[in-house]
Amino acid sequence: MVIAIDGPAGAGKTTAARLLAKRLNFVYLDTGAMYRALTLYALKKGIDPYDEESLKDALDEEITIDLVEEKVFLNGEDVTNYIRSREVSKYVPIVSLHSSVREIMVRKQREFAIGKNVVVEGRDIGTVVFPDADVKIYLDASVKERARRRWEEMVERGDNLSLEDVERSIIERDKLDTNRKYAPLKRAEDSIIVNNTALSIEEEIELLQKIVEQKLKKGGAKVNG
């Protein structure tokens, strides 16, 4: 069973998907972390983020990315904290633009979900990765709220960046995500829009759980299998 959560940068997809997976006793898959891990590897190895062929080769032949209990491992090393750095955030939109990179990532993501009940989040989950997902949710919030959340995350990590700079970065990321040629960010027609601008995280998870339960009830399935 697959629950797909899509949405723009800073919409809170990671937190929502992780907590919803816990609530439902599902496995959580953060597809964005996979692209961030590849970006981190490229930066360490001096691979140009615009060099699609080298990135593809690295992903296909040089690295392994494992997601285990909310931790991200790159070739066996725990890089959970490093993939959220300012430098990685700057270049991951470029790395994720490449169609051949995304094709390999989609294959890996589908393989990960085989035989599991999963909550998957990203930007093309309900449209490209799992177009037949049992439940599709499009999570959104105002630009200012998304920027505030991202800024607070960065401050906690010790990054020195103004709220205005983060907001500009969010706007630029939206443009890149929605205008890329391969698998652009867009809402699946059969997805449910949830705007969480004014919701607490507790209210949001309660709402998401109700959406899932109602959807699955209509299909004759049970949330916990």
Side-chain angles (χ1 to χ4, degrees):
M1 186 177 296
V2 176
I3 299 171
I5 299 179
D6 287 307
K13 300 184 299 297
T14 299
T15 300
R18 177 170 49 81
L19 294 177
L20 182 63
K22 281 186 176 180
R23 181 78 64 92
L24 302 178
N25 197 28
F26 277 30
V27 177
Y28 162 58
L29 172 57
D30 179 357
T31 61
M34 299 174 70
Y35 288 98
R36 284 177 173 274
L38 174 60
T39 303
L40 178 64
Y41 181 83
L43 292 173
K44 284 185 172 182
K45 295 294 182 178
I47 298 173
D48 187 339
Y50 290 92
D51 187 347
E52 180 173 358
E53 194 63 28
S54 294
L55 290 168
K56 172 182 173 294
D57 290 343
L59 182 60
D60 224 7
E61 302 170 7
E62 300 174 19
I63 70 174
T64 59
I65 301 171
D66 297 302
L67 307 177
V68 183
E69 297 181 351
E70 301 178 18
K71 291 187 178 295
V72 183
F73 293 88
L74 175 62
N75 289 342
E77 177 189 356
D78 183 353
V79 295
T80 308
N81 294 326
Y82 301 113
I83 63 171
R84 302 291 174 184
S85 71
R86 182 177 174 182
E87 194 74 358
V88 170
S89 295
K90 178 181 178 180
Y91 289 107
V92 69
I94 306 303
V95 170
S96 61
L97 281 174
H98 304 304
S99 60
S100 61
V101 168
R102 298 195 72 87
E103 286 171 2
I104 297 172
M105 285 294 195
V106 168
R107 186 187 75 226
K108 291 179 180 292
Q109 290 155 11
R110 288 173 176 167
E111 289 172 352
F112 178 92
I114 293 174
K116 302 183 183 77
N117 290 323
V118 295
V119 177
V120 192
E121 61 99 343
R123 288 172 173 78
D124 62 348
I125 308 305
T127 54
V128 175
V129 185
F130 295 104
D132 297 321
D134 300 88
V135 182
K136 298 178 185 178
I137 295 167
Y138 189 87
L139 207 59
D140 204 356
S142 69
V143 170
K144 287 190 177 298
E145 177 62 15
R146 290 190 281 132
R148 184 191 65 78
R149 293 171 185 170
R150 185 57 56 85
W151 176 73
E152 287 182 349
E153 290 175 359
M154 298 178 75
V155 168
E156 285 184 7
R157 292 197 302 267
D159 290 336
N160 184 22
L161 204 62
S162 71
L163 179 57
E164 291 75 18
D165 285 341
V166 175
E167 185 172 335
R168 282 193 290 270
S169 177
I170 288 282
I171 293 171
E172 183 61 30
R173 181 70 195 267
D174 286 349
K175 289 180 181 178
L176 287 171
D177 287 339
T178 56
N179 293 314
R180 66 189 181 210
K181 291 182 180 180
Y182 185 82
L185 167 67
K186 64 179 180 178
R187 184 181 75 83
E189 291 183 2
D190 55 345
S191 66
I192 297 172
I193 300 175
V194 174
N195 189 307
N196 62 18
T197 301
L199 296 178
S200 68
I201 188 60
E202 293 81 10
E203 292 171 332
E204 181 181 355
I205 300 306
E206 286 290 338
L207 176 58
L208 295 181
Q209 183 177 4
K210 286 179 181 178
I211 290 172
V212 171
E213 289 174 343
Q214 289 171 0
K215 271 281 194 178
L216 299 186
K217 191 180 293 182
K218 289 180 180 179
K222 295 180 181 179
V223 170
N224 291 307

